[in-house]
Amino acid sequence: MKTSDFTYDLPEELIAQTPSERRDASRLLVLDKNTGAMEHRHFYDLPDYLCPGDCLVLNDSRVIPARLFGVRPTGGAVEVVLLKELGDDRWECLSRPGKKMRPGTEVRFGDGELTGVVEEVTEGGNRIIRFRYEGIFLELLDRLGNMPLPPYIKTQLTDPERYQTVYAREPGSAAAPTAGLHFTPELLDRIRAMGVDVRFVTLHVGLGTFRPVKSENVEEHEMHSEYCTVPEDTAEAIRRTRAAGGRIIAVGTTSCRTLESFAETDGKIEAGSRWTNIFIYPGYTFKCVDALVTNFHLPGSTLVMLVSALAGRESILNAYKTAVEERYRFFSFGDAMFIAELTP
């Protein structure tokens, strides 16, 4: 299986630079994962495709202002993006310019209320930085940090909360779980009122989610690791839904990867926390997830491969071709898809 099998042509002007005025007013392409049939709706129509007894699972991770601008002792400017918390105030980070960030280099942020020292350079070229500060680290980030928008978004975001889901509560992501950006509190209330069980998992999204697949053969790609949690109430809700014959509907590839990381071969799931580097591509047998709410993903990405595993590569590429023709908006601030079995 070749990486080139998962590419498609995308006009640059279809890459959404700003969020829609209303979260749930985004367009929704509904795809039957069995037949490839499509419908064109809006996201506020999603309840039309849900059933009482379904379980909707969302990722409640909150994006932290993980981009920091600092200076080295020489006065040289440095940009640091926090990727992964390692404990003891140590983080794996991206840094620019990388060549200037050798082990032992100290960086000052703000007025020096936050400092960092490079401890080592990873095999991939990232830096392990130990931070020093007084007070609460996340409060310092709120003051000193900037929202780490994806590289394909060139427009300044006027309201940082638009890069957060309305239910974000667990700080730790370097990028938003973007499928959830379409939900409003009112839409979630409508969904609950119709008898759908709404539950949460946590997966802290790393910038590795934007890392291109460089290997020619899909099977040779090594996924980045991300930390995820399935609470006991969510695990119990999934078990209850499965026993009653309801569907498990993941919101976003992050929720999907979390559930599939915890599910046993028979679909049973237990609560817990762990690192996952699960790589889902065609040929994968889903153990837990029946349907998926998702955005439109980068050509040749692991996320296109994941949705192809659920609905079939040809159906997905045909849906993407149709979305381009219909002028859907793509990527983080773009429109959405709902992939499910729509016909018996």
Side-chain angles (χ1 to χ4, degrees), residues 220-279:
E220 295 173 0
H221 177 68
E222 185 176 339
M223 286 289 288
H224 57 285
S225 293
E226 294 165 314
Y227 194 73
C228 55
T229 299
V230 175
E232 177 55 43
D233 68 305
T234 298
E236 173 55 33
I238 290 171
R239 292 191 291 265
R240 187 168 59 243
T241 299
R242 281 225 167 276
R247 298 178 301 173
I248 308 302
I249 302 168
V251 174
T253 57
T254 58
S255 297
C256 177
R257 292 179 64 240
T258 299
L259 294 176
E260 292 298 314
S261 296
F262 279 82
E264 303 295 336
T265 306
D266 59 3
K268 291 181 180 177
I269 194 165
E270 299 294 336
S273 298
R274 68 180 64 156
W275 291 93
T276 182
N277 64 349
I278 188 172
F279 184 14

Side-chain angles (χ1 to χ4, degrees), residues 117-297:
V117 176
V118 180
E119 291 193 337
E120 61 180 280
V121 179
T122 69
E123 287 186 11
N126 294 337
R127 269 56 183 173
I128 306 300
I129 298 178
R130 185 185 295 274
F131 290 95
R132 300 183 185 127
Y133 57 92
E134 291 189 6
I136 299 173
F137 186 66
L138 289 177
E139 290 182 358
L140 282 172
L141 281 187
D142 283 338
R143 286 209 314 277
L144 302 176
N146 296 269
M147 200 60 74
L149 292 177
Y152 49 74
I153 294 179
K154 313 298 183 185
T155 303
Q156 187 69 32
L157 185 62
T158 56
D159 179 8
E161 282 302 307
R162 288 307 306 271
Y163 196 55
Q164 305 279 12
T165 62
V166 296
Y167 47 80
R169 58 189 179 191
E170 299 292 338
S173 279
T178 55
L181 295 178
H182 305 282
F183 286 91
T184 64
E186 295 78 15
L187 182 58
L188 287 169
D189 286 344
R190 280 177 57 202
I191 289 170
R192 290 187 179 98
M194 61 183 291
V196 174
D197 200 349
V198 177
R199 299 290 169 169
F200 299 93
V201 295
T202 304
L203 182 141
H204 292 316
V205 188
L207 288 185
T209 192
F210 303 113
R211 190 177 71 183
V213 179
K214 295 181 179 179
S215 56
E216 182 180 358
N217 295 317
V218 168
E219 295 86 348
E220 295 173 0
H221 177 68
E222 185 176 339
M223 286 289 288
H224 57 285
S225 293
E226 294 165 314
Y227 194 73
C228 55
T229 299
V230 175
E232 177 55 43
D233 68 305
T234 298
E236 173 55 33
I238 290 171
R239 292 191 291 265
R240 187 168 59 243
T241 299
R242 281 225 167 276
R247 298 178 301 173
I248 308 302
I249 302 168
V251 174
T253 57
T254 58
S255 297
C256 177
R257 292 179 64 240
T258 299
L259 294 176
E260 292 298 314
S261 296
F262 279 82
E264 303 295 336
T265 306
D266 59 3
K268 291 181 180 177
I269 194 165
E270 299 294 336
S273 298
R274 68 180 64 156
W275 291 93
T276 182
N277 64 349
I278 188 172
F279 184 14
I280 298 175
Y281 54 88
Y284 178 85
T285 300
F286 285 85
K287 304 186 291 290
C288 180
V289 172
D290 300 303
L292 178 68
V293 177
T294 187
N295 278 17
F296 293 95
H297 306 294

Side-chain angles (χ1 to χ4, degrees), residues 68-72 106-116 132-134 140-141 143-145:
L68 292 161
F69 296 96
V71 293
R72 292 175 285 115
E106 181 177 273
V107 184
R108 292 165 54 87
F109 304 95
D111 294 326
E113 52 195 319
L114 177 65
T115 61
R132 300 183 185 127
Y133 57 92
E134 291 189 6
L140 282 172
L141 281 187
R143 286 209 314 277
L144 302 176

